[in-house]
Amino acid sequence: MNSLERYIEQLNEIEAKFNGYKQDLDNIIFKVSSMVARTVITNGEIANPTPYYHERMGSKLNGKIIPSPIVSNDCMKYHYDSEDRLIMVEEYSVFLKKFQIRELYFYNELTERLRLSSGMLAVLSVFDNPFSNTKLSLAFAGRNGFIVEEFIYDGDVLTEIKITRSKAKPDSQTEEHKFVYENHKLIQIERICQNGYRELKYTTKKPNFNKIKEDTYKALKSTITDYTGNFTAFGIEGFVDQQQPMLCVCFTDENEPSDLIADWGAEMHDLQLYDWQFNDSQEKKCVKIIGEIIVQLVEEGLLKDKQIYFHQSQVCATQLYSGLKTVFKKANIVVN
């Protein structure tokens, strides 16, 4: 019996409650708003309803309490009732120029969390031990179906979350979140899917750019020297801004290759850069390092007299990163 089958009665009850709440949402918001006893304004998140909820989404729980709202998508309002329980969360939308309700909480034997999107109910979650060591969370997410999260502990230390989703009954999709600690502090959350796909969702480790440069240089040099055919153009399709930053490298013997590397019809050689998504400054630094490596490969003769293409999001990377443009200009290298 899988998790969906085990909890199907509770899940069906949650679905029925979801539909009722959806129809009565305006009255619910009015009722909850009338219960607000105090409000805390923050820049960033300050509370996890279930263990490491925001870290599992790829962010950090490092919000700061501020005296007044700021114009930022990270600006939040946390509303508490007379028993000092969190009952509503609002977040600011720079696009809409106003706060929008994101979450509502009801406290009974179990806690109910209503997640809103664009003013409509999107997810209803029911779970135990809110803001603490949750053991089980059951949810209904409208067209996205049911979600079962089972939290596994070693003593009081969370080691794993088993997640089962149903997009189309009775089919299900399962995944696990594995937690790694160092000196009793969380350093990594890895997501492992049913099909074997693995993804690092969170890490406190900082990129070792010296190692990234060394490894990337060796990998690019090896890819070029191992290529047995003749080539007139060398292309790098960058995915440096992705969850798992990587490059796709290919070659062509066309004298006038397409402006889109993907249209070359050539084999792509994958090269992973790092196991976690870069922040903006790290991304720019990594792209600059790749540019420096290309310059070095030209100077060493491996890319001498070759057309060089370096794209990010199918656009010449020099149009997106001024630091990279400076690297190539200084070396008098033209990159398409």
Side-chain angles (χ1 to χ4, degrees), residues 2-211:
N2 64 32
S3 297
L4 291 173
E5 295 171 337
R6 187 180 308 124
Y7 299 108
I8 192 62
E9 290 186 11
Q10 297 99 310
L11 291 167
N12 286 333
E13 291 173 1
I14 293 170
E15 180 179 2
K17 188 171 285 189
F18 173 96
N19 292 327
Y21 285 165
K22 188 175 182 180
Q23 296 298 320
D24 199 35
L25 190 57
D26 289 342
N27 289 330
I28 291 173
I29 291 173
F30 178 80
K31 179 180 178 181
V32 174
S33 299
S34 68
M35 297 168 59
V36 173
R38 73 180 182 95
T39 298
V40 173
I41 302 170
T42 72
N43 182 22
E45 309 284 356
I46 63 170
N48 273 323
T50 58
Y52 299 116
Y53 174 82
H54 292 295
E55 288 84 351
R56 289 192 285 136
M57 299 298 110
S59 59
K60 293 184 178 181
L61 197 70
N62 57 1
K64 305 294 184 183
I65 296 176
I66 56 178
S68 58
I70 58 175
V71 179
S72 169
N73 289 326
D74 292 326
C75 188
M76 311 285 177
K77 287 183 179 180
Y78 285 80
H79 302 286
Y80 298 82
D81 66 8
S82 59
E83 298 181 46
D84 212 29
R85 300 176 302 188
L86 180 63
I87 57 174
M88 182 165 65
V89 178
E90 295 182 84
E91 63 181 352
Y92 190 79
S93 168
V94 173
F95 177 73
L96 296 175
K97 299 180 180 179
K98 66 177 183 180
F99 281 92
Q100 285 191 307
I101 297 173
R102 189 185 71 185
E103 297 166 4
L104 299 168
Y105 290 88
F106 297 151
Y107 299 92
N108 297 298
E109 183 178 349
L110 296 173
T111 298
E112 296 179 7
R113 175 177 180 249
L114 287 68
R115 176 83 181 191
L116 278 60
S117 176
S118 301
M120 299 182 64
L121 181 58
V123 184
L124 172 61
S125 303
V126 178
F127 53 96
D128 58 19
N129 300 325
F131 308 100
S132 184
N133 289 351
T134 304
K135 302 295 191 304
L136 176 67
S137 174
L138 305 176
F140 178 69
R143 289 178 298 178
N144 292 319
F146 297 125
I147 306 169
V148 176
E149 296 184 337
E150 298 169 294
F151 298 76
I152 300 171
Y153 296 84
D154 180 3
D156 60 352
V157 177
L158 179 66
T159 59
E160 181 182 347
I161 303 176
K162 293 184 178 180
I163 303 171
T164 307
R165 305 175 190 272
S166 74
K167 294 187 177 180
K169 297 180 245 183
D171 295 334
S172 66
Q173 178 181 4
T174 62
E175 63 183 61
E176 298 176 353
H177 287 188
K178 299 283 190 178
F179 296 79
V180 179
Y181 301 84
E182 193 171 78
N183 298 324
H184 306 291
K185 290 185 178 181
L186 179 70
I187 61 168
Q188 181 176 301
I189 303 174
E190 185 180 23
R191 173 175 172 252
I192 306 172
C193 296
Q194 186 175 355
N195 62 6
Y197 173 76
R198 306 172 78 95
E199 175 184 23
L200 196 62
K201 296 295 295 181
Y202 172 86
T203 183
T204 58
K205 295 182 178 181
K206 296 182 180 180
N208 181 339
F209 282 108
N210 288 332
K211 187 174 188 307

Side-chain angles (χ1 to χ4, degrees), residues 213-245:
K213 185 172 185 177
E214 179 182 351
D215 291 347
T216 303
Y217 166 75
K218 288 180 180 178
L220 284 175
K221 183 176 181 178
S222 176
T223 301
I224 296 169
T225 55
D226 290 348
Y227 187 71
T228 57
N230 295 319
F231 68 97
T232 57
F234 170 80
I236 295 179
E237 189 68 65
F239 300 90
V240 188
D241 60 344
Q242 299 299 302
Q243 190 83 32
Q244 293 180 303

